[in-house]
Amino acid sequence: MPDDVIGVTGGWFLLGILLVCGTLYANPAKGVSLFPLSAPAGGLLLLAGWIGFGTAGLMRQ
């Protein structure tokens, strides 16, 4: 069970990083954002990933 949680939350975490970092790159370089709420959505996915990693770690003990 913890390995499944880590796999799913790892995907959320990576998607969150891509959304946040993609917006940070695209705004200054091209003057456009990926989509209007990509940074807040990416931040929420990063938080969900960290919570999932913590939960999986607690379940593993």
Side-chain angles (χ1 to χ4, degrees):
M1 175 80 174
D3 292 331
D4 295 336
V5 173
I6 289 175
V8 170
T9 56
W12 292 345
F13 188 77
L14 290 176
L15 182 61
I17 288 175
L18 287 174
L19 287 174
V20 170
C21 294
T23 300
L24 291 176
Y25 168 75
N27 267 344
K30 299 179 182 177
V32 296
S33 62
L34 297 175
F35 59 91
L37 294 175
S38 61
L44 287 175
L45 288 171
L46 283 172
L47 287 173
W50 282 118
I51 290 169
F53 287 144
T55 303
L58 289 173
M59 289 170 56
R60 192 172 272 198
Q61 290 182 350

